[in-house]
Amino acid sequence: MKRRDFIKTTGIGGASLVMTSGVKLPLLQDKISTLSINPSPLFELSPWLYMQFMEPLGVTDSSVEAAWDHSTDKWREDVVQVTSDLAPGMIRWGGIFSSYYRWREAVGPRENRKPIYNIAWNGMETNQVGTAEFVDFCSKVGADPLMSVNFESDGNARWAFTKKGDIRSANSKEAAEWVDYCNNPSNKERIKNGFKNPLPIKIWQIGNETSYGRDKFDNATAAKKTLEFAKTMKSVDPSIKIIGWGDSGWANQMIDIAGESIDYIAFHHMFDPGQKLEKSPLRDNAYRSDPAAAWEILMNAFKIHENKITGIRNEVSSSGMPLALTECHYAIPGRNRCEVLSSWAAGVSYARMMNLHERNGDLLKIATLADFCGTRWQVNAIMIPVPTGKAFMMPVAKIMALYRKHTGKEYLEVSGVPESLDITASRTGNTIYLHVVNTSRIRPAETNIKINNLIIKSAKAFELSADPEFEILSSANDPLIPKEKVLNVNENVIFPPASVTAVELTVA
């Protein structure tokens, strides 16, 4: 099917048919299945499954500097507004940047703050955005802050010193002083800087990607130092929660050595689902000439992610240590990392990964699917046009916002799911939520919904659907606004092709 063979549908409910090039296509399945929902909760879903990750990225993608209005010394209003709509449960500060970040350089009077060279991403950071500004942003958008501390530069000499000889490594004492600065009501340094009340940060990650690369701590050294950091940090505030690094087969030893003092095991996953293909239709702009092949790869990409999560689950199974996926997104070669991620097809594939996160929500308590914001990288949740223009959500953000606003507190089991649909369920009180992904690019799917031992009193849906090839390029003319629809509880429900829908069922 070529690029301009548009897909049209009448929407959810009724005898909906898909039109493509003037030809009517029937429903995908011959027999209408019954989706059965068990209303007994299996486990709690964390609000932190819908987190975002903010990192100063220098000249590569000026995420923080672009979001800050230097003319008024405050966050850009359009960034605050769109982030409030995104509604992340948590925002993380750090990444590679934390490996050479000295927090005191970005607190206190603005005229005294020291600009720093961004070693990994090149360029200079003004440090006009520091601890207080980050916590303020989180407060404005209703997110819990997660801070990554400088873990002796993760043992990497490249991060520990600049070429000019500036020392960038920081020890456990500096990390503990940061915790005290934020959380101690009587901290004199913070009060002197004009903040009488604490800047509360209750979740802290030690380091970033300690097992990645050749120049780093080994597993045992990292675990012992993690224990030292955790104990030192908790000595000033025992209530904080600590995330230790456990990727690349490090989880077991990290838990054996530092498990008494850490609360989560971190891992990351950035991957290209078409990497093994000699000519992947995802790379560069090839997806535009073969959207059907690109769709097929994207719809199956969750399997690669599932293998990653299953592996880390197996490592922590004996301890039951909760997991924190503090960085995750596609990493597809191409200009601006990469244009296919602006397409709705990518958004639908991210919904499959979002469902996967929910299915693993018994252990997975912190997770993301995007870098938070920036000026050009397509892996961002929010794009910030520069030098002018209004910030807008990318397809992955559309998914995360939909799920965040229409998700229950407790995960439920579903059965009888039609082949083309990917469905998860959750519950809060008398409201049951479904997240429904139609993985068919061209055909709708129909199902009857049943809740065991309960009666559905009312139902409504919030649908995101578009031509899979539609690309979000600006805040204007965006069709990906959730369409709210009332459903007839006595009729089957039809889900359009290439759609992601949140269904809310009120039960008795």
Side-chain angles (χ1 to χ4, degrees), residues 205 208-212 216 219 222 243-254 264-270 307-309 311-312 315-316 323-327:
Q205 181 169 342
N208 179 49
E209 295 171 344
T210 318
S211 64
Y212 292 179
K216 56 179 173 53
N219 192 342
I243 303 173
W245 183 252
D247 208 344
S248 309
W250 280 30
N252 283 330
Q253 191 165 14
M254 181 63 69
Y264 301 87
I265 284 291
F267 68 110
H268 291 173
H269 197 206
M270 288 73 78
N307 289 338
K308 177 73 174 185
I309 294 175
I312 193 75
E315 290 187 58
V316 303
L323 297 172
L325 179 58
T326 52
E327 290 185 41

Side-chain angles (χ1 to χ4, degrees), residues 137-418:
F137 184 83
C138 290
S139 177
K140 287 180 182 297
V141 301
D144 293 321
L146 162 59
M147 190 65 75
S148 296
V149 304
N150 187 328
F151 183 43
E152 295 185 13
S153 296
D154 284 313
N156 191 329
R158 179 188 175 193
W159 311 134
F161 303 93
T162 66
K163 293 180 179 179
K164 296 180 179 180
D166 189 14
I167 299 174
R168 304 311 307 170
S169 180
N171 59 21
S172 60
K173 179 175 179 293
E174 186 166 318
E177 289 170 348
W178 199 2
V179 174
D180 193 77
Y181 182 89
C182 293
N183 296 349
N184 182 356
S186 303
N187 184 274
K188 294 180 180 179
E189 187 177 0
R190 185 193 68 248
I191 294 172
K192 181 182 177 182
N193 287 334
F195 297 94
K196 181 179 179 180
N197 296 321
L199 303 167
I201 301 178
K202 294 300 182 180
I203 312 290
W204 298 76
Q205 181 169 342
I206 298 177
N208 179 49
E209 295 171 344
T210 318
S211 64
Y212 292 179
R214 293 177 297 175
D215 300 321
K216 56 179 173 53
F217 294 133
D218 58 45
N219 192 342
T221 301
K224 292 174 183 176
K225 287 185 175 292
T226 295
L227 179 61
E228 174 198 338
F229 267 69
K231 284 185 173 181
T232 307
M233 293 165 70
K234 286 188 174 184
S235 70
V236 299
D237 185 355
S239 71
I240 65 172
K241 302 297 183 182
I242 298 289
I243 303 173
W245 183 252
D247 208 344
S248 309
W250 280 30
N252 283 330
Q253 191 165 14
M254 181 63 69
I255 293 170
D256 288 344
I257 295 174
E260 65 183 70
S261 295
I262 63 175
D263 303 280
Y264 301 87
I265 284 291
F267 68 110
H268 291 173
H269 197 206
M270 288 73 78
F271 68 101
D272 174 7
Q275 183 176 5
K276 295 184 179 181
L277 299 177
E278 183 177 350
K279 293 184 178 180
S280 170
L282 301 185
R283 293 174 194 160
D284 300 314
N285 296 321
Y287 70 97
R288 290 173 176 152
S289 60
D290 196 349
W295 176 269
E296 183 176 358
I297 295 171
L298 287 169
M299 285 307 103
N300 287 292
F302 80 97
K303 297 176 182 178
I304 300 172
H305 194 43
E306 185 173 38
N307 289 338
K308 177 73 174 185
I309 294 175
T310 299
I312 193 75
R313 281 188 67 104
N314 290 339
E315 290 187 58
V316 303
S317 59
S318 60
S319 68
M321 180 75 74
L323 297 172
L325 179 58
T326 52
E327 290 185 41
C328 176
H329 54 72
Y330 288 134
I332 302 169
R335 182 184 63 182
N336 296 335
R337 296 193 175 186
C338 165
E339 273 85 345
V340 69
L341 300 185
S342 67
S343 72
W344 176 234
V348 179
S349 73
Y350 270 123
R352 299 209 74 178
M353 291 207 285
M354 195 76 259
N355 280 1
L356 181 63
H357 288 179
E358 293 183 345
R359 291 189 183 99
N360 286 276
D362 58 326
L363 282 181
L364 186 62
K365 298 301 181 182
I366 299 173
T368 187
L369 285 175
D371 286 351
F372 170 49
C373 65
T375 58
R376 70 181 186 91
W377 283 4
Q378 306 298 303
V379 297
N380 292 319
I382 293 173
M383 196 65 68
I384 306 174
V386 289
T388 60
K390 186 177 179 181
F392 60 92
M393 287 190 198
M394 296 290 286
V396 64
K398 298 285 188 176
I399 297 301
M400 298 186 79
L402 180 73
Y403 278 42
R404 173 71 170 133
K405 295 171 184 175
H406 306 285
T407 299
K409 295 180 180 179
E410 300 167 313
Y411 183 83
L412 306 180
E413 182 181 18
V414 297
S415 59
V417 179

Side-chain angles (χ1 to χ4, degrees), residues 89-110:
M90 172 181 280
I91 300 178
R92 173 183 179 237
W93 173 275
I96 295 175
F97 186 73
S98 65
S99 300
Y100 43 88
Y101 184 62
R102 309 296 298 273
W103 67 269
R104 279 193 170 91
E105 295 171 343
V107 300
R110 298 193 178 282

Side-chain angles (χ1 to χ4, degrees), residues 482-503:
K483 303 180 184 73
E484 183 175 351
K485 302 181 179 182
V486 176
L487 304 181
N488 188 329
V489 299
N490 298 314
E491 293 183 356
N492 295 340
V493 182
I494 299 177
F495 297 94
S499 65
V500 180
T501 306
V503 178

